[in-house]
Amino acid sequence: MGLHLPDAIRLHASERGTSAALTCEGSTISYAELDTRSNRIARALLADAPTGSRIGFLARTRNEAGEILTGAAKAGLVTVPLNWRLAVPEVTAVALDADLKVLLAEPEFREAADAVCAAVPGLRLVVIGPSRDPDIPAYETWLAAHSDDDPGRGTATDADEVFLQIYTSGTTGLPKGVLLTHGNFFADRSELEEYLWDAESVALNALPMFHIGGLGWLRVALTAGANSLMFPEFTPGAAAETFEREGVTHAFLVPSVLHMLTELPGIEKRDFSRLTLITYGSAPITPALLRRSMTLFACHFMGKYGLTEGGGTVTQLPSEDHEADGPRQYLLKSVGRPRRGVDVVIADTVTGSPVPAGTPGEILIRSRHNTPGYWNRPEETAALYDASGLLRTGDGGYLDEDGYLFLTDRIKDMIVSGGENVYPAEVEAALAEHPAVSEAAVVGVPHRVWGEAVTAVVVLCGGVEPPTEQELIDFTRPWIASYKKPRRVHFADELPRNANGKVLKRELRAGLGPK
């Protein structure tokens, strides 16, 4: 099956309508119900938003996210998921940039929703839950007022139609709206087969719905006909209990979540026997954490590397390449090979010319999944692609002789120390091999002699003898070249992260003064 999301829902509703599609906090919606309810959403949205316009939602990872995404696509509308972790002025700026016509928001985020309504003329607000205002409809009341007649959009003929607008995290300025079409986003048959789905699959989704990872995981699970177990608020204890109680078979977990689960007291006593596959990505993972996770969960693992502008996954490391020891264990440092239909080129960061295997440079990609561009940002869209049409990722890496991609960090995160290039991921992986190190992040700090000094911030494991700074520096010597070893090691209780689990290295640099 290689279907766009609306057509996949239509097919499952007709062939296995009673099967569970979405489950959240004890409430389950079947595929037949999802089909009907998304039709009502489509009709309700079209009453206030002309085809092609933008509708936003401000909600956690709940069943409604799947309904809204499907319903808007059936209506030929563009869904703009809003980051509820942003400050109110930031959310308002995104809503203004997108020119929203309708906003669906949970009561928890009413302050932000009211601010958006005050800023965006003519915006229609719908509350996902009870409404305290008689002039603002509650979600279920709003749905009930419209027919379940399917508008019929989101089919194979609509492949070039934009249906998602995901805003980047905005760490370097105002977030940009990344446009994704049905053709960018749909899961083809080969992709579905790689996940080892069956009729009883239960896919845990603990990722935010404003992120390509959460939306992509929802898309592939619903296209496959699995039951998406929506997890609105992550805690490691609740997640471990849910794995066991609900018989989770599939999950997409970011490395920070895998770290929290492997550190959870008593986690080894949990029953993970139903787990078939854990997919991980969205941030770098160290081989040490990957080995711990593989031992704990004892299931198939699949690594992913991608970005919003690339429509999600660019490369993947399949289960058969996950060897904890032996001659191929070095592949645990890799993010795999390009997925089918994706070309990856490594280019010199100065000239833009392709470089030989084993040489680091910027990762460029050509793929049907690549975004057509940024919303109302022609200059940024033009800068995103090179002259030959390859998308510039801004990530650094190299391809080995067998075509496996190894990341070396964001180009802007590369450290130049004493004239040598140092890639933080290599140093972090070396530090993570120490039994007392739970996590490590490496940044460059201005240095009067070396230009930048390789500086590590380390979180230690609990219940172990803490090493000294010099012991950790010395520990890295067998793992990496001398010029790459940290010159300073700082200890912290935790690493700062954004909503997607990525370490905020800009914050780390700001807290570490020049040497």
Side-chain angles (χ1 to χ4, degrees):
M1 180 194 306
L3 298 173
H4 298 157
L5 180 61
D7 269 351
I9 301 305
R10 293 170 179 127
L11 180 65
H12 294 315
S14 65
E15 294 186 348
R16 44 197 299 273
T18 59
S19 297
L22 297 161
T23 298
C24 182
E25 297 178 332
S27 175
T28 296
I29 297 172
S30 70
Y31 275 96
E33 291 169 323
L34 175 57
D35 189 42
T36 300
R37 287 173 65 84
S38 59
N39 289 343
R40 290 187 184 277
I41 289 170
R43 290 298 175 185
L45 289 170
L46 286 171
D48 291 296
T51 297
S53 56
R54 272 67 184 157
I55 65 100
F57 74 84
L58 192 58
R60 291 184 182 270
T61 304
R62 300 186 184 278
N63 291 348
E64 288 84 356
E67 295 179 340
I68 294 165
L69 183 66
T70 306
K74 286 181 173 182
L77 299 168
V78 181
T79 298
V80 181
L82 299 175
N83 184 343
W84 44 264
R85 287 176 172 158
L86 295 177
V88 171
E90 294 174 307
V91 175
T92 304
V94 169
L96 278 167
D97 184 75
D99 189 23
L100 297 183
K101 302 302 181 188
V102 180
L103 174 62
L104 300 104
E106 287 188 90
E108 178 184 358
F109 309 119
R110 187 61 188 273
E111 178 188 357
D114 287 344
V116 169
C117 288
V120 181
L123 181 68
R124 176 67 179 272
L125 176 63
V126 177
V127 178
I128 303 174
S131 173
R132 63 176 186 237
D133 188 332
D135 295 325
I136 298 175
Y139 184 75
E140 293 298 334
T141 304
W142 176 71
L143 283 188
H146 294 273
S147 78
D148 60 5
D149 181 37
D150 189 341
R153 300 298 287 268
T155 66
T157 60
D158 300 318
D160 295 331
E161 184 175 277
V162 173
F163 87 109
L164 256 179
Q165 186 167 314
I166 306 175
Y167 278 78
T168 57
S169 58
T171 56
T172 58
L174 184 69
K176 300 185 289 290
V178 180
L179 304 175
L180 293 174
T181 67
H182 287 288
N184 295 148
F185 208 57
F186 91 94
D188 61 26
R189 183 182 297 275
S190 65
E191 181 181 1
L192 295 177
E193 290 173 349
E194 290 163 353
Y195 287 97
L196 307 174
W197 302 107
D198 63 31
E200 305 300 320
S201 292
V202 177
L204 179 73
N205 198 329
L207 295 167
M209 288 292 105
F210 52 77
H211 183 251
I212 186 68
L215 290 165
W217 187 234
L218 177 63
R219 174 264 314 184
V220 74
L222 287 176
T223 304
N227 178 14
S228 285
L229 189 60
M230 308 295 272
F231 211 70
E233 192 163 5
F234 177 85
T235 63
E241 182 181 338
T242 300
F243 268 100
E244 194 171 28
R245 183 185 66 248
E246 302 293 339
V248 172
T249 61
H250 293 69
F252 187 116
L253 302 176
V254 298
S256 58
V257 167
L258 283 169
H259 167 73
M260 286 187 278
L261 288 171
T262 58
E263 295 284 311
L264 188 67
I267 186 70
E268 70 283 351
K269 298 177 183 176
R270 295 284 186 179
D271 179 11
F272 299 118
S273 59
R274 288 212 59 205
L275 257 178
T276 299
L277 175 71
I278 288 179
T279 301
Y280 60 91
S282 296
I285 190 169
T286 64
L289 173 57
L290 189 48
R291 288 189 190 96
R292 293 202 305 271
S293 302
M294 291 161 59
T295 300
L296 173 64
F297 293 108
C299 65
H300 295 283
F301 274 72
M302 181 188 292
K304 297 275 188 178
Y305 159 71
L307 66 161
T308 306
E309 287 87 344
T313 303
V314 172
T315 66
Q316 58 192 37
L317 188 71
S319 180
E320 57 267 26
D321 286 333
H322 285 73
E323 294 185 7
D325 50 36
R328 300 179 77 246
Q329 63 176 303
Y330 72 94
L331 288 177
L332 297 184
K333 297 180 180 179
S334 165
V335 291
R337 289 189 279 200
R339 66 186 291 192
R340 200 175 124 217
V342 177
D343 295 324
V344 171
V345 175
I346 307 299
D348 185 279
T349 56
V350 177
T351 66
S353 300
V355 298
T359 305
E362 184 179 7
I363 301 168
L364 309 181
I365 55 175
R366 191 189 311 279
S367 165
R368 71 166 173 84
H369 305 284
N370 285 352
T371 176
Y374 298 113
W375 168 247
N376 287 342
R377 301 288 186 92
E379 291 183 4
E380 287 92 336
T381 297
L384 182 62
Y385 289 92
D386 73 2
S388 66
L390 288 163
L391 185 147
R392 297 184 172 101
T393 67
D395 290 328
Y398 65 90
L399 290 166
D400 72 5
E401 295 287 352
D402 297 317
Y404 286 88
L405 178 65
F406 293 78
L407 299 183
T408 56
D409 275 304
R410 296 286 293 173
I411 295 297
K412 67 177 182 292
D413 286 334
M414 184 182 73
I415 301 165
V416 181
S417 183
E420 297 283 0
N421 294 344
V422 179
Y423 296 99
E426 296 178 288
V427 188
E428 290 161 359
L431 287 165
E433 293 293 336
H434 193 287
V437 172
S438 174
E439 294 183 283
V442 171
V443 296
V445 172
H447 192 282
R448 62 182 180 274
V449 176
W450 303 108
E452 287 184 295
V454 180
T455 306
V457 180
V458 166
V459 178
L460 297 176
C461 300
V464 298
E465 182 68 25
T468 66
E469 177 184 14
Q470 191 58 49
E471 285 171 346
L472 281 181
I473 293 172
D474 292 341
F475 176 81
T476 65
R477 291 181 189 276
W479 298 90
I480 51 178
S482 179
Y483 70 86
K484 298 179 183 180
K485 71 180 187 296
R487 296 187 177 273
R488 293 297 310 272
V489 175
H490 298 265
F491 297 95
D493 293 331
E494 62 181 3
L495 300 176
R497 300 180 185 275
N498 68 8
N500 306 326
K502 294 182 179 179
V503 175
L504 296 171
K505 293 195 171 181
R506 185 173 60 176
E507 287 191 14
L508 287 179
R509 291 189 198 96
L512 302 170
K515 299 299 177 185

